[in-house]
Structures are given as structure tokens and as C-alpha cells.
């Protein structure tokens, strides 16, 4: 989309989408104007701005044909990686996250995908990171986790998943527990958010004001609730009683998006999510009538993920 008006050499704000979570790629010839526009638009509330103009700060670059975005916070960076279509990717549209401590260079990965392990290790090595933990938000049905393969290739790597998932891992997570860096500093807090599966957890990152919601809360949507002990009523309660009680400006990083969006906020989902702004009864009815096809990878993914993808 081009919003530049040649006639008067301006870019009217009215041409920008009203949806502040929309992904906007900013580009100009040298990168100078983009570097000015990004903070300006951030100020206006847009949260998915991709700087494609200046090589020094570019957040858009191709790696193995996949999408990779780096979000830098003061003490921690988040690299958001997308599992694109086959044959280069696994075709699951999963977002994997690599969280890295800026000082110690220690890294934690969330929801790795088996077909993307080479890519993930390449990113980890290119950023000079040491991977110590692999977390899964739940026992996935749409892809095999990369956790088992990563454990084979990274010495000392510890895996974690919720105790309620019934899957195997080195660490079984429970509500309220902290996930810490090796030196003991807490990074994430485990929030039990069942509904998509009964073992789903979200990871709240208080230092960053962010939450990794897995398949419970997606951007303008939510995960399906028709298999793996899924429950629409439980999902509604998890979102309304737990996720929606986080501060409004908390950034939401989901496990999937099918429209190229990167992240949302609790406020945006609270006010605009077409399903979760409904009453609980209406939501349960919507979820009961989705008539979704049987997931094509579930028969191979579930048994593998119950043993950590080994
Ligand atoms: Fe899932």
C-alpha cells in the first residue's frame, strides 16, 4: 500500500489503517525518513511497525525464505520467527520466539518447530547466544516441536512444558512459577490458560510488559477448542479472568498468525477481538459451529510431542 501523495509530497495520517495492530512496513530511499517516521507512528499507538528503509536498523530481512523480526527492548531482545509454507518451512504458520539477555547473551526459545531447527540455530549462533531452555506453550497438534532435535544438538539444553499437558519434558511447569535465567533472575511467569488444550500456559514477561499466549489468544481470534480436551468455556475464562487482567498496554505475542501480523496488545484484543468481545454463551456457540477440518498433522504431531518431539 502506498500512502504518499505525489501532488503535495505528503503522507496523510488518514491514509493509515485505523487498526493500530496492523503491520506497516515503512520504506524510503535512504532510511532517514523512515527512522523519523517509526518513532512518530509509535507515539500514535501503532505497534507493528517494520523499519525496512535503513540497513542499520532494518527489521525486515529474509533468512531461508522465512520471516524473521527482531524486537529490541532495553535488557532483552525478542527474535520472532515464522514457520512458512512447505517445502522450505513446515507449513504450520507458527511463531517461534528467541528471547535473549542483552548482557549475558543467554537465550530461551519458545515453541520451536522441528523443520526450522537449522534456522533457529543459525539465528542463535549469528547473535552469539547460548541457548539454555526450550519452552512449549502446549502440546501442539499442528507441528512437531523442535525441542527434541534442539536437545540433541545443544548440550545442556533443558525442555519445559506444563505438567497438565501430559507431555514429557525436563521441567514440568505449574501456575505461578517463574522461568529464570541461569543466574536466577526471573524472566517469565507461568500463567495456566487452559481451553485450547487443557495443558495450555501463557508466559508473562513482566520486565518487557509482554505475554506469549500460545494458541489461547491469537490476534483477533483464538485457538480451536474441538480436540485435545479443548473447552470453549475454559478458553473464555482463561482469556477474560487471566489474560485480560494484565495491563492494557501488555504486548501480545501469539503462537500463530495467518495474516502477517506480528503482535497485538491486551487493550486491542479486549476491545476488538471479534470472538472474545462476545458473551461467554455466544462465544461457546461460535466455537461449537466452526466446522473446522481435521488438522492434517495431528496424527503424527501429537504422539511425537507427548515425548518432547523425540
Ligand atoms: Fe495448538
Amino acid at each position: 500500500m502506498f500512502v504518499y501523495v505525489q501532488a503535495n509530497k505528503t503522507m496523510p495520517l488518514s491514509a493509515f489503517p485505523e487498526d493500530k495492530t496492523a503491520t506497516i512496513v515503512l520504506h524510503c530511499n535512504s532510511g532517514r525518513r523512515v527512522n523519523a517516521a517509526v518513532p512518530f507512528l509509535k507515539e500514535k499507538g501503532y505497534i507493528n511497525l517494520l523499519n525496512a528503509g535503513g540497513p542499520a536498523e532494518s527489521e525486515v530481512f529474509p533468512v531461508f525464505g522465512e520471516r524473521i523480526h527482531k524486537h529490541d527492548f532495553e535488557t532483552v531482545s525478542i527474535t520472532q520467527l515464522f514457520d512458512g509454507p512447505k517445502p522450505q518451512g513446515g507449513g504450520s504458520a507458527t511463531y517461534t520466539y528467541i528471547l535473549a539477555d542483552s548482557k549475558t547473551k543467554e537465550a530461551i526459545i519458545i515453541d520451536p518447530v522441528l523443520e526450522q531447527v537449522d534456522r533457529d540455530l543459525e539465528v542463535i549462533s549469528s547473535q552469539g547466544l547460548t541457548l539454555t531452555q526450550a519452552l512449549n506453550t502446549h502440546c501442539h497438534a499442528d507441528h512437531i516441536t523442535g525441542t527434541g532435535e534442539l536437545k540433541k544438538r545443544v548440550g545442556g539444553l533443558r525442555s519445559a512444558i506444563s505438567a497438565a499437558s501430559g507431555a514429557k519434558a525436563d521441567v514440568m511447569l505449574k501456575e505461578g512459577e517463574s522461568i529464570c535465567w541461569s543466574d536466577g533472575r526471573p524472566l517469565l511467569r507461568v500463567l495456566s490458560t487452559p481451553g485450547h488444550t487443557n495443558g495450555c500456559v501463557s508466559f508473562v514477561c513482566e520486565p518487557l510488559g509482554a505475554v506469549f499466549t500460545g494458541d489461547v489468544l491469537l490476534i483477533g481470534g483464538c485457538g480451536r477448542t474441538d480436540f485435545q480436551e479443548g473447552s470453549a468455556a475454559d478458553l473464555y475464562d482463561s482469556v477474560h479472568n487471566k489474560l485480560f487482567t494484565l495491563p492494557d498496554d501488555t504486548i501480545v505475542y501469539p503462537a500463530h498468525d495467518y495474516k502477517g501480523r506480528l503482535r497485538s496488545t491486551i487493550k486491542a484484543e479486549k476491545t476488538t477481538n471479534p470472538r472474545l468481545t462476545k458473551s461467554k454463551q455466544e462465544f461457546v456457540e461460535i466455537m461449537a459451529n466452526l466446522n473446522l477440518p481435521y488438522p492434517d498433522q495431528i496424527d503424527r504431531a501429537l504422539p511425537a510431542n507427548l515425548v518432547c518431539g523425540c
Side-chain angles (χ1 to χ4, degrees):
M1 176 180 74
F2 295 95
V3 295
Y4 180 68
V5 181
Q6 184 69 42
N8 57 11
K9 297 187 177 172
T10 60
M11 282 189 188
L13 268 182
S14 58
F16 280 77
E18 274 178 35
D19 177 6
K20 299 283 171 81
T21 68
T23 298
I24 300 174
V25 180
L26 293 113
H27 172 72
C28 70
N29 207 22
S30 66
R32 198 172 58 84
R33 282 163 293 172
V34 169
N35 285 341
V38 167
F40 174 77
L41 289 167
K42 263 187 193 161
E43 191 82 342
K44 297 278 172 202
Y46 289 94
I47 60 165
N48 284 319
L49 302 166
L50 300 181
N51 183 337
E57 291 185 40
S58 180
E59 290 172 338
V60 183
F61 51 98
V63 175
F64 308 137
E66 302 301 324
R67 286 190 277 132
I68 299 185
H69 305 284
K70 198 153 172 280
H71 310 280
D72 285 313
F73 294 83
E74 211 178 311
T75 53
V76 175
S77 71
I78 299 174
T79 305
Q80 183 175 18
L81 308 110
F82 184 73
D83 177 37
K86 293 174 180 176
Q88 295 97 331
S92 69
T94 298
Y95 278 132
T96 294
Y97 298 92
I98 297 171
L99 279 60
D101 185 284
S102 322
K103 279 202 183 127
T104 64
K105 297 287 179 187
E106 182 179 349
I108 291 175
I109 193 165
I110 300 175
D111 287 337
V113 174
L114 180 60
E115 287 86 346
Q116 301 289 1
V117 165
D118 286 343
R119 174 204 64 183
D120 297 347
L121 291 174
E122 172 80 26
V123 167
I124 286 162
S125 124
S126 71
Q127 294 183 22
L129 307 175
T130 304
L131 183 65
T132 58
Q133 296 178 65
L135 317 177
N136 279 282
T137 51
H138 63 292
C139 187
H140 302 278
D142 59 351
H143 67 271
I144 296 180
T145 175
T147 310
E149 184 61 24
L150 283 167
K151 275 176 66 72
K152 285 183 202 156
R153 293 165 63 173
V154 179
L157 179 67
R158 290 174 68 71
S159 58
I161 197 165
S162 79
S165 70
K168 218 174 93 180
D170 297 318
V171 179
M172 308 309 290
L173 302 167
K174 293 198 187 74
E175 166 87 0
E177 284 180 349
S178 289
I179 294 163
C180 301
W181 296 115
S182 297
D183 59 14
R185 282 172 301 130
L187 176 68
L188 302 169
R189 179 166 55 87
V190 178
L191 206 56
S192 170
T193 47
H196 168 62
T197 73
N198 58 348
C200 282
V201 290
S202 298
F203 299 119
V204 181
C205 186
E206 258 119 20
L208 302 189
V211 60
F212 300 87
T213 54
D215 287 4
V216 178
L217 178 61
L218 305 178
I219 302 172
C222 64
R224 58 197 289 181
T225 54
D226 55 339
F227 55 78
Q228 284 181 282
E229 297 92 30
S231 157
D234 288 352
L235 190 145
Y236 192 91
D237 288 343
S238 291
V239 170
H240 279 262
N241 300 341
K242 292 197 169 170
L243 295 173
F244 281 0
T245 65
L246 295 170
D248 272 355
D249 58 357
T250 304
I251 302 172
V252 173
Y253 289 103
H256 297 284
D257 190 73
Y258 306 94
K259 295 181 180 173
R261 295 164 299 187
L262 302 178
R263 51 190 182 171
S264 182
T265 62
I266 289 296
K267 184 177 181 185
E269 296 311 315
K270 242 185 207 175
T271 51
T272 63
N273 189 302
R275 291 180 188 170
L276 287 153
T277 45
K278 299 274 194 298
S279 72
K280 187 170 172 179
Q281 194 187 340
E282 285 171 310
F283 176 77
V284 169
E285 273 167 34
I286 291 169
M287 296 308 285
N289 291 296
L290 290 180
N291 298 317
L292 296 167
Y294 189 70
D296 62 353
Q297 294 212 45
I298 190 170
D299 293 329
R300 92 183 240 276
L302 271 190
N305 289 336
L306 283 168
V307 289
C308 197
C310 299

